[in-house]
Amino acid sequence: MSAAVASPRTKSPSPSGVRVRRRVLLFAATGLALLFVLLTVSLTIGEMPMPAGTALRALVGLGDPGDVLVVQQFRAPRTVAAIFAGAGLGAAGCVLQRLFRNPLASPDVMGITGGASLGAVALIAAGASQALIPVGALVGGLLAALLLGVFAWGSGLTVTRLVLTGLAVQAGLAAAVNLMIVRFPAELAGSSLQWISGSVYGRTWTEVWGAGGAMVLALAAALVMNRQLAVLDLGDDSAGALGLRTHRARLQLLVLAVVLASLAAALAGPVTFVALAVPHIVRFVTGPPTAASLALAGLTGAVLLLASDLVVQHLLPVEGLPVGAVTATLGAPWLLVLMLRQSSPVQRSQG
């Protein structure tokens, strides 16, 4: 009798579900291992190379004072900024693509990073403290999202209208940023150009603790709201039948994605490609969205941006090249392929 009672509770999972879990666990383990390797490499190589053990001890304040200074004050802030910014971009791209059911939705395509750039550069022009740059980036990102909603929401957020409106908003905000830079004194113009090109060079702990601390809170909020995102994946009718206020949930998730992208821009400038590509990479490996997709997107974004920054620092012959130049070079053909796929006859016939 006990076996008969227990049998309904011991239902074995389907083979496809087991395979998905295995892929998710393998992907997560690989990503964490790769992130640790990249972090170690980032702390060890440079003009003063040092063994991995020495660099890791210096990170926690142990060992030679010179090594501690190099690691803690120069290498670690840049590395942590790249990790936080990449995680924020990956999570923001995942939220936006699932929210709009649109593989082209990302902060850089929709103009959010352009707005964040405008807000941050405006504060730089005003001589504000570095700790306030995240505030300016956040306000600018929200402004860009508002402009996108005003111009694109009225006729429905179709793929073509969303992309074209986002590109127009991005171009307009970029023009405003360039105009401000032209009006800057020479020293401010140089630092602003370095920032808007997408770079984690010269990041300090003040910037990292400000934007990075807010990023941790935003990522935690995204994980908390992941259940609402999963319900929205079922469609508005099904989500409403389950008791979810769909319009309110969409607005909350949209604001959260803007916050994530704006804080990432405050740390690394308007880095392109990462938020666009990361959700596709996660879907390619793990399949349809799962409860872990958002966390995996953040992990993948951190790995991708940190790896790109290491390529810029140590593998390219051009010294001082910003990481945004590398990601933009990768992102341009990626965006073109996605747009061609969206406009193909098969896609149109399905629409």
Side-chain angles (χ1 to χ4, degrees):
M1 180 178 295
S2 61
V5 173
S7 58
R9 299 184 179 180
T10 57
K11 184 179 178 180
S12 60
S14 64
S16 60
V18 172
R19 286 196 297 269
V20 169
R21 281 198 214 74
R22 287 176 179 173
R23 284 201 302 267
V24 168
L25 290 174
L26 180 60
F27 189 81
T30 303
L32 288 172
L34 187 56
L35 183 63
F36 178 76
V37 170
L38 292 172
L39 185 149
T40 304
V41 170
S42 179
L43 296 178
T44 56
I45 59 177
E47 294 183 2
M48 292 180 55
M50 61 185 70
T54 300
L56 293 175
R57 285 194 300 272
L59 181 63
V60 295
L62 301 177
D64 183 78
D67 294 336
V68 172
L69 176 66
V70 169
V71 170
Q72 288 192 348
Q73 299 303 319
F74 297 102
R75 296 179 182 175
R78 179 171 185 161
T79 301
V80 174
I83 291 173
F84 280 158
L89 288 171
C94 181
V95 170
L96 288 174
Q97 291 186 16
R98 291 172 64 181
L99 194 60
F100 291 110
R101 300 187 185 95
N102 183 345
L104 293 174
S106 72
D108 39 301
V109 173
M110 297 171 65
I112 295 173
T113 54
S117 299
L118 178 62
V121 171
L123 284 188
I124 293 175
S129 168
Q130 290 290 330
L132 294 178
I133 298 300
V135 178
L138 179 58
V139 172
L142 291 172
L143 172 64
L146 179 61
L147 290 175
L148 182 67
V150 168
F151 292 123
W153 202 281
S155 301
L157 294 177
T158 62
V159 173
T160 303
R161 186 176 182 85
L162 182 68
V163 172
L164 292 179
T165 304
L167 291 175
V169 170
Q170 182 83 357
L173 293 172
V177 170
N178 290 332
L179 180 62
M180 293 179 65
I181 290 177
V182 169
R183 305 285 297 181
F184 280 178
E187 62 274 9
L188 285 178
S191 62
S192 298
L193 283 173
Q194 176 72 24
W195 191 88
I196 66 169
S197 58
S199 175
V200 288
Y201 173 78
R203 291 295 173 261
T204 64
W205 283 119
T206 301
E207 298 167 301
V208 171
W209 289 129
M215 179 70 77
V216 171
L217 296 177
L219 288 171
L223 294 176
V224 169
M225 296 187 67
N226 188 46
R227 185 173 182 180
Q228 297 183 28
L229 188 60
V231 175
L232 287 173
D233 286 338
L234 302 175
D236 287 354
D237 292 338
S238 299
L242 292 172
L244 181 67
R245 297 180 180 178
T246 56
H247 294 294
R248 179 180 178 182
R250 286 186 181 278
L251 180 60
Q252 290 174 341
L253 287 165
L254 177 60
V255 171
L256 182 59
V258 172
V259 170
L260 287 167
S262 300
L263 292 174
L267 282 168
V271 175
T272 59
F273 174 68
V274 175
L276 179 65
V278 162
H280 294 273
I281 296 172
V282 174
R283 279 196 300 271
F284 177 77
V285 176
T286 65
T290 66
S293 294
L294 193 58
L296 292 178
L299 176 61
T300 305
V303 169
L304 185 58
L305 188 56
L306 183 55
S308 299
D309 189 50
L310 288 174
V311 169
V312 164
Q313 291 184 73
H314 307 293
L315 296 183
L316 294 182
V318 181
E319 186 176 355
L321 191 68
V323 67
V326 174
T327 59
T329 303
L330 296 173
W334 187 286
L335 178 61
L336 179 61
V337 169
L338 288 177
M339 293 185 71
L340 290 175
R341 289 182 60 187
Q342 287 296 309
S343 61
S344 65
V346 175
Q347 294 286 344
R348 287 197 296 268
S349 65
Q350 292 176 348

